[in-house]
Short mmCIF file of all heavy atoms in Angstrom, two decimals:
data_model
loop_
_atom_site.label_atom_id
_atom_site.label_comp_id
_atom_site.label_asym_id
_atom_site.label_seq_id
_atom_site.Cartn_x
_atom_site.Cartn_y
_atom_site.Cartn_z
N LYS A 1 -1.01 -13.66 1.83
CA LYS A 1 -0.75 -12.51 0.98
C LYS A 1 0.11 -11.48 1.70
O LYS A 1 0.70 -10.62 1.02
CB LYS A 1 -2.10 -11.86 0.50
CG LYS A 1 -2.88 -12.86 -0.39
CD LYS A 1 -4.24 -12.32 -0.74
CE LYS A 1 -4.18 -11.04 -1.65
NZ LYS A 1 -5.59 -10.66 -2.08
N PHE A 2 0.15 -11.52 3.00
CA PHE A 2 1.03 -10.66 3.77
C PHE A 2 2.23 -11.43 4.09
O PHE A 2 2.28 -12.30 5.00
CB PHE A 2 0.29 -10.13 5.03
CG PHE A 2 -0.75 -9.10 4.67
CD1 PHE A 2 -2.03 -9.46 4.28
CD2 PHE A 2 -0.48 -7.80 4.77
CE1 PHE A 2 -2.96 -8.52 3.95
CE2 PHE A 2 -1.40 -6.79 4.47
CZ PHE A 2 -2.68 -7.17 4.07
N VAL A 3 3.32 -11.20 3.34
CA VAL A 3 4.49 -12.03 3.33
C VAL A 3 5.74 -11.28 3.74
O VAL A 3 5.76 -10.05 3.83
CB VAL A 3 4.77 -12.60 1.92
CG1 VAL A 3 3.57 -13.52 1.45
CG2 VAL A 3 4.91 -11.46 0.87
N ARG A 4 6.77 -12.05 4.12
CA ARG A 4 8.03 -11.36 4.53
C ARG A 4 8.60 -10.56 3.46
O ARG A 4 9.11 -9.42 3.70
CB ARG A 4 9.02 -12.40 5.04
CG ARG A 4 10.15 -11.80 5.88
CD ARG A 4 10.84 -12.87 6.75
NE ARG A 4 9.96 -13.48 7.69
CZ ARG A 4 9.59 -12.91 8.84
NH1 ARG A 4 10.02 -11.68 9.12
NH2 ARG A 4 8.81 -13.51 9.68
N SER A 5 8.66 -11.11 2.22
CA SER A 5 9.17 -10.33 1.05
C SER A 5 8.32 -10.62 -0.16
O SER A 5 7.99 -11.81 -0.42
CB SER A 5 10.65 -10.74 0.73
OG SER A 5 11.49 -10.36 1.78
N VAL A 6 7.87 -9.62 -0.85
CA VAL A 6 7.09 -9.84 -2.08
C VAL A 6 7.97 -10.40 -3.18
O VAL A 6 9.21 -10.24 -3.24
CB VAL A 6 6.47 -8.54 -2.58
CG1 VAL A 6 5.47 -8.01 -1.52
CG2 VAL A 6 7.50 -7.49 -2.96
N TYR A 7 7.35 -11.15 -4.11
CA TYR A 7 8.11 -11.80 -5.25
C TYR A 7 8.71 -10.71 -6.11
O TYR A 7 9.91 -10.83 -6.48
CB TYR A 7 7.16 -12.65 -6.03
CG TYR A 7 7.71 -13.20 -7.31
CD1 TYR A 7 8.82 -14.09 -7.28
CD2 TYR A 7 7.23 -12.80 -8.55
CE1 TYR A 7 9.41 -14.54 -8.49
CE2 TYR A 7 7.77 -13.33 -9.74
CZ TYR A 7 8.84 -14.16 -9.69
OH TYR A 7 9.43 -14.64 -10.83
N LYS A 8 7.97 -9.68 -6.48
CA LYS A 8 8.51 -8.53 -7.20
C LYS A 8 7.95 -7.28 -6.60
O LYS A 8 6.73 -7.23 -6.31
CB LYS A 8 8.07 -8.58 -8.68
CG LYS A 8 8.60 -9.81 -9.46
CD LYS A 8 10.11 -9.75 -9.71
CE LYS A 8 10.60 -10.95 -10.53
NZ LYS A 8 12.09 -10.98 -10.68
N VAL A 9 8.78 -6.27 -6.42
CA VAL A 9 8.38 -4.99 -5.91
C VAL A 9 7.83 -4.16 -7.13
O VAL A 9 8.58 -3.83 -8.00
CB VAL A 9 9.53 -4.23 -5.23
CG1 VAL A 9 9.09 -2.80 -4.80
CG2 VAL A 9 10.04 -4.99 -4.02
N VAL A 10 6.57 -3.76 -6.99
CA VAL A 10 5.95 -2.93 -8.01
C VAL A 10 5.64 -1.62 -7.39
O VAL A 10 5.62 -0.57 -8.08
CB VAL A 10 4.71 -3.61 -8.67
CG1 VAL A 10 4.19 -2.76 -9.81
CG2 VAL A 10 5.07 -5.02 -9.21
N TYR A 11 5.37 -1.55 -6.11
CA TYR A 11 5.24 -0.33 -5.35
C TYR A 11 6.30 -0.36 -4.29
O TYR A 11 6.36 -1.30 -3.45
CB TYR A 11 3.89 -0.16 -4.71
CG TYR A 11 3.80 0.96 -3.70
CD1 TYR A 11 3.80 2.27 -4.07
CD2 TYR A 11 3.81 0.73 -2.29
CE1 TYR A 11 3.84 3.30 -3.18
CE2 TYR A 11 3.87 1.74 -1.36
CZ TYR A 11 3.88 3.03 -1.83
OH TYR A 11 3.85 4.08 -0.91
N ASN A 12 7.14 0.66 -4.22
CA ASN A 12 8.25 0.74 -3.26
C ASN A 12 7.80 1.64 -2.10
O ASN A 12 7.67 2.83 -2.26
CB ASN A 12 9.50 1.32 -3.91
CG ASN A 12 10.73 1.24 -3.02
OD1 ASN A 12 10.72 1.77 -1.93
ND2 ASN A 12 11.79 0.56 -3.46
N ALA A 13 7.53 1.00 -0.95
CA ALA A 13 7.02 1.73 0.21
C ALA A 13 8.00 2.75 0.76
O ALA A 13 7.59 3.83 1.18
CB ALA A 13 6.61 0.76 1.25
N ARG A 14 9.33 2.43 0.78
CA ARG A 14 10.32 3.37 1.29
C ARG A 14 10.28 4.65 0.50
O ARG A 14 10.22 5.74 1.10
CB ARG A 14 11.69 2.73 1.22
CG ARG A 14 12.83 3.69 1.67
CD ARG A 14 14.23 3.03 1.58
NE ARG A 14 14.43 2.68 0.19
CZ ARG A 14 14.95 3.55 -0.76
NH1 ARG A 14 15.13 4.82 -0.40
NH2 ARG A 14 15.19 3.15 -1.97
N LEU A 15 10.22 4.59 -0.82
CA LEU A 15 10.18 5.76 -1.64
C LEU A 15 8.87 6.55 -1.47
O LEU A 15 8.85 7.75 -1.50
CB LEU A 15 10.40 5.43 -3.15
CG LEU A 15 11.81 4.85 -3.46
CD1 LEU A 15 11.83 4.51 -4.97
CD2 LEU A 15 12.86 5.77 -3.12
N GLY A 16 7.80 5.75 -1.24
CA GLY A 16 6.50 6.42 -1.02
C GLY A 16 6.51 7.21 0.31
O GLY A 16 6.02 8.34 0.33
N LEU A 17 7.12 6.70 1.32
CA LEU A 17 7.22 7.37 2.60
C LEU A 17 8.09 8.63 2.47
O LEU A 17 7.78 9.64 2.99
CB LEU A 17 7.80 6.45 3.70
CG LEU A 17 6.76 5.42 4.26
CD1 LEU A 17 7.54 4.40 5.11
CD2 LEU A 17 5.67 6.05 5.01
N GLU A 18 9.19 8.48 1.67
CA GLU A 18 10.05 9.63 1.44
C GLU A 18 9.34 10.79 0.77
O GLU A 18 9.62 11.95 1.01
CB GLU A 18 11.30 9.22 0.64
CG GLU A 18 12.32 8.35 1.42
CD GLU A 18 13.44 7.91 0.55
OE1 GLU A 18 13.54 8.22 -0.58
OE2 GLU A 18 14.31 7.10 1.09
N LYS A 19 8.36 10.41 -0.11
CA LYS A 19 7.57 11.43 -0.81
C LYS A 19 6.42 12.01 0.04
O LYS A 19 5.81 12.97 -0.36
CB LYS A 19 6.97 10.83 -2.06
CG LYS A 19 7.91 10.54 -3.20
CD LYS A 19 7.14 10.00 -4.46
CE LYS A 19 6.14 11.05 -4.85
NZ LYS A 19 5.31 10.57 -6.01
N GLY A 20 6.24 11.38 1.20
CA GLY A 20 5.16 11.87 2.06
C GLY A 20 3.81 11.22 1.75
O GLY A 20 2.77 11.80 2.18
N GLN A 21 3.78 10.11 1.02
CA GLN A 21 2.49 9.47 0.75
C GLN A 21 1.78 8.96 2.00
O GLN A 21 2.48 8.46 2.95
CB GLN A 21 2.69 8.30 -0.24
CG GLN A 21 2.79 8.65 -1.69
CD GLN A 21 2.97 7.42 -2.53
OE1 GLN A 21 3.66 6.48 -2.18
NE2 GLN A 21 2.32 7.47 -3.69
N GLU A 22 0.50 9.03 2.04
CA GLU A 22 -0.32 8.34 3.05
C GLU A 22 -0.75 7.01 2.44
O GLU A 22 -1.30 7.01 1.31
CB GLU A 22 -1.53 9.16 3.40
CG GLU A 22 -1.22 10.57 4.00
CD GLU A 22 -2.47 11.34 4.22
OE1 GLU A 22 -3.56 10.76 4.40
OE2 GLU A 22 -2.31 12.62 4.18
N VAL A 23 -0.52 5.90 3.10
CA VAL A 23 -0.77 4.61 2.53
C VAL A 23 -1.58 3.75 3.52
O VAL A 23 -1.19 3.55 4.68
CB VAL A 23 0.56 3.85 2.20
CG1 VAL A 23 0.26 2.56 1.48
CG2 VAL A 23 1.42 4.73 1.28
N VAL A 24 -2.68 3.20 3.02
CA VAL A 24 -3.58 2.30 3.80
C VAL A 24 -3.78 0.99 3.07
O VAL A 24 -3.86 1.00 1.84
CB VAL A 24 -4.92 3.02 4.12
CG1 VAL A 24 -5.79 2.11 4.97
CG2 VAL A 24 -4.68 4.29 4.81
N TYR A 25 -3.84 -0.13 3.79
CA TYR A 25 -4.05 -1.42 3.15
C TYR A 25 -5.39 -1.98 3.70
O TYR A 25 -5.53 -2.15 4.92
CB TYR A 25 -2.91 -2.42 3.56
CG TYR A 25 -1.53 -1.83 3.19
CD1 TYR A 25 -0.88 -0.95 4.05
CD2 TYR A 25 -0.90 -2.20 2.02
CE1 TYR A 25 0.37 -0.42 3.70
CE2 TYR A 25 0.38 -1.69 1.65
CZ TYR A 25 0.98 -0.80 2.51
OH TYR A 25 2.23 -0.33 2.21
N ILE A 26 -6.33 -2.21 2.86
CA ILE A 26 -7.73 -2.49 3.26
C ILE A 26 -8.11 -3.88 2.83
O ILE A 26 -7.99 -4.22 1.64
CB ILE A 26 -8.71 -1.44 2.65
CG1 ILE A 26 -8.38 -0.01 3.18
CG2 ILE A 26 -10.13 -1.82 3.00
CD1 ILE A 26 -9.12 1.05 2.45
N THR A 27 -8.53 -4.69 3.77
CA THR A 27 -9.06 -6.03 3.54
C THR A 27 -10.39 -6.24 4.17
O THR A 27 -10.87 -5.29 4.79
CB THR A 27 -8.09 -7.12 4.00
OG1 THR A 27 -8.26 -7.24 5.45
CG2 THR A 27 -6.62 -6.85 3.63
N GLU A 28 -11.02 -7.37 3.98
CA GLU A 28 -12.31 -7.60 4.56
C GLU A 28 -12.24 -7.79 6.05
O GLU A 28 -13.28 -7.71 6.73
CB GLU A 28 -12.96 -8.82 3.89
CG GLU A 28 -12.53 -10.21 4.39
CD GLU A 28 -11.11 -10.62 3.97
OE1 GLU A 28 -10.48 -9.89 3.13
OE2 GLU A 28 -10.60 -11.65 4.45
N ARG A 29 -11.06 -8.06 6.59
CA ARG A 29 -10.99 -8.39 8.03
C ARG A 29 -10.02 -7.47 8.76
O ARG A 29 -9.98 -7.54 10.04
CB ARG A 29 -10.62 -9.82 8.25
CG ARG A 29 -9.14 -10.14 7.92
CD ARG A 29 -8.86 -11.61 8.05
NE ARG A 29 -9.43 -12.39 6.98
CZ ARG A 29 -9.22 -13.67 6.77
NH1 ARG A 29 -8.43 -14.34 7.57
NH2 ARG A 29 -9.76 -14.33 5.75
N ALA A 30 -9.22 -6.68 8.05
CA ALA A 30 -8.20 -5.91 8.74
C ALA A 30 -7.86 -4.67 7.90
O ALA A 30 -7.89 -4.72 6.67
CB ALA A 30 -6.93 -6.74 8.96
N VAL A 31 -7.52 -3.56 8.57
CA VAL A 31 -7.07 -2.37 7.93
C VAL A 31 -5.71 -2.01 8.53
O VAL A 31 -5.57 -1.91 9.78
CB VAL A 31 -8.07 -1.18 8.10
CG1 VAL A 31 -7.55 0.05 7.51
CG2 VAL A 31 -9.45 -1.56 7.52
N PHE A 32 -4.73 -1.83 7.69
CA PHE A 32 -3.37 -1.46 8.16
C PHE A 32 -2.99 -0.10 7.60
O PHE A 32 -3.42 0.30 6.57
CB PHE A 32 -2.33 -2.50 7.61
CG PHE A 32 -2.55 -3.89 8.02
CD1 PHE A 32 -3.33 -4.74 7.23
CD2 PHE A 32 -1.95 -4.38 9.17
CE1 PHE A 32 -3.54 -6.08 7.59
CE2 PHE A 32 -2.13 -5.75 9.55
CZ PHE A 32 -2.93 -6.56 8.73
N ARG A 33 -2.03 0.59 8.26
CA ARG A 33 -1.52 1.82 7.81
C ARG A 33 0.01 1.74 7.77
O ARG A 33 0.63 1.09 8.64
CB ARG A 33 -1.95 3.02 8.71
CG ARG A 33 -1.63 4.39 8.12
CD ARG A 33 -2.30 5.47 8.95
NE ARG A 33 -3.76 5.36 8.99
CZ ARG A 33 -4.57 5.95 8.03
NH1 ARG A 33 -4.01 6.60 7.07
NH2 ARG A 33 -5.88 5.80 8.16
N LEU A 34 0.57 2.32 6.73
CA LEU A 34 2.04 2.25 6.60
C LEU A 34 2.70 3.37 7.47
O LEU A 34 2.32 4.47 7.46
CB LEU A 34 2.44 2.52 5.13
CG LEU A 34 3.92 2.51 4.80
CD1 LEU A 34 4.54 1.14 5.08
CD2 LEU A 34 4.14 2.89 3.33
N THR A 35 3.66 2.89 8.22
CA THR A 35 4.48 3.82 9.04
C THR A 35 5.96 3.55 8.73
O THR A 35 6.32 2.61 8.05
CB THR A 35 4.27 3.59 10.55
OG1 THR A 35 4.93 2.36 10.93
CG2 THR A 35 2.81 3.43 10.90
N ARG A 36 6.86 4.41 9.27
CA ARG A 36 8.27 4.27 8.97
C ARG A 36 8.79 3.01 9.64
O ARG A 36 9.89 2.53 9.32
CB ARG A 36 9.01 5.51 9.46
CG ARG A 36 8.68 6.71 8.65
CD ARG A 36 9.63 7.84 8.78
NE ARG A 36 9.27 8.97 7.89
CZ ARG A 36 9.58 9.04 6.63
NH1 ARG A 36 10.31 8.11 6.06
NH2 ARG A 36 9.21 10.09 5.87
N LYS A 37 8.07 2.41 10.59
CA LYS A 37 8.51 1.18 11.25
C LYS A 37 7.83 -0.04 10.65
O LYS A 37 8.08 -1.18 11.12
CB LYS A 37 8.20 1.28 12.71
CG LYS A 37 9.00 2.33 13.46
CD LYS A 37 8.74 2.38 14.93
CE LYS A 37 9.55 3.44 15.66
NZ LYS A 37 9.25 3.41 17.15
N GLY A 38 7.00 0.16 9.64
CA GLY A 38 6.31 -0.99 9.02
C GLY A 38 4.75 -0.86 9.07
O GLY A 38 4.26 0.19 9.37
N LEU A 39 4.11 -1.98 8.84
CA LEU A 39 2.62 -1.92 8.85
C LEU A 39 2.02 -1.90 10.25
O LEU A 39 2.54 -2.65 11.08
CB LEU A 39 2.08 -3.18 8.09
CG LEU A 39 1.71 -2.96 6.59
CD1 LEU A 39 3.00 -2.61 5.84
CD2 LEU A 39 1.08 -4.21 6.02
N ARG A 40 1.06 -1.09 10.45
CA ARG A 40 0.37 -1.00 11.76
C ARG A 40 -1.08 -1.43 11.62
O ARG A 40 -1.78 -0.79 10.80
CB ARG A 40 0.46 0.43 12.31
CG ARG A 40 -0.10 0.58 13.72
CD ARG A 40 0.14 1.95 14.22
NE ARG A 40 -0.57 2.99 13.42
CZ ARG A 40 -0.18 4.21 13.28
NH1 ARG A 40 1.02 4.61 13.77
NH2 ARG A 40 -0.90 5.07 12.61
N LEU A 41 -1.55 -2.41 12.36
CA LEU A 41 -2.87 -2.82 12.37
C LEU A 41 -3.72 -1.85 13.12
O LEU A 41 -3.47 -1.60 14.33
CB LEU A 41 -3.02 -4.26 12.96
CG LEU A 41 -4.37 -4.83 13.09
CD1 LEU A 41 -5.04 -5.02 11.72
CD2 LEU A 41 -4.41 -6.13 13.90
N GLU A 42 -4.77 -1.31 12.42
CA GLU A 42 -5.59 -0.28 13.06
C GLU A 42 -7.07 -0.72 13.27
O GLU A 42 -7.71 -0.24 14.18
CB GLU A 42 -5.53 1.01 12.20
CG GLU A 42 -4.18 1.58 12.09
CD GLU A 42 -4.16 3.07 11.73
OE1 GLU A 42 -5.13 3.49 11.05
OE2 GLU A 42 -3.29 3.78 12.16
N GLU A 43 -7.57 -1.60 12.42
CA GLU A 43 -8.96 -2.06 12.53
C GLU A 43 -9.09 -3.57 12.28
O GLU A 43 -8.24 -4.08 11.48
CB GLU A 43 -9.82 -1.28 11.60
CG GLU A 43 -9.88 0.24 11.77
CD GLU A 43 -10.81 0.88 10.74
OE1 GLU A 43 -11.66 0.21 10.20
OE2 GLU A 43 -10.60 2.12 10.49
N TYR A 44 -10.06 -4.19 12.83
CA TYR A 44 -10.30 -5.59 12.54
C TYR A 44 -11.86 -5.79 12.43
O TYR A 44 -12.64 -4.95 12.98
CB TYR A 44 -9.76 -6.48 13.61
CG TYR A 44 -10.37 -6.27 15.00
CD1 TYR A 44 -11.46 -7.02 15.46
CD2 TYR A 44 -9.78 -5.28 15.84
CE1 TYR A 44 -12.00 -6.77 16.70
CE2 TYR A 44 -10.33 -5.00 17.08
CZ TYR A 44 -11.42 -5.79 17.52
OH TYR A 44 -11.95 -5.50 18.78
#
């Protein structure tokens, strides 16, 4: 589910960062945070 390119963009992360959004991706085994350089793994 964590892929190089999504099939269709429904949330645009670049525009979200430009707006100043805080974005976290939560799964059962990993927690990531969105940065300007990409996803950062913060918890496992």
Side-chain angles (χ1 to χ4, degrees):
K1 296 173 68 175
F2 287 83
V3 297
R4 195 162 299 282
S5 295
V6 296
Y7 172 64
K8 297 289 183 185
V9 175
V10 186
Y11 168 74
N12 187 302
R14 177 183 61 82
L15 295 179
L17 285 170
E18 288 178 2
K19 288 184 61 185
Q21 278 182 320
E22 300 175 25
V23 185
V24 181
Y25 306 82
I26 298 170
T27 77
E28 81 287 352
R29 72 185 73 173
V31 177
F32 301 89
R33 191 170 297 273
L34 180 63
T35 74
R36 295 195 177 277
K37 294 182 179 180
L39 264 64
R40 182 175 67 210
L41 177 63
E42 298 202 330
E43 297 179 24
Y44 61 93

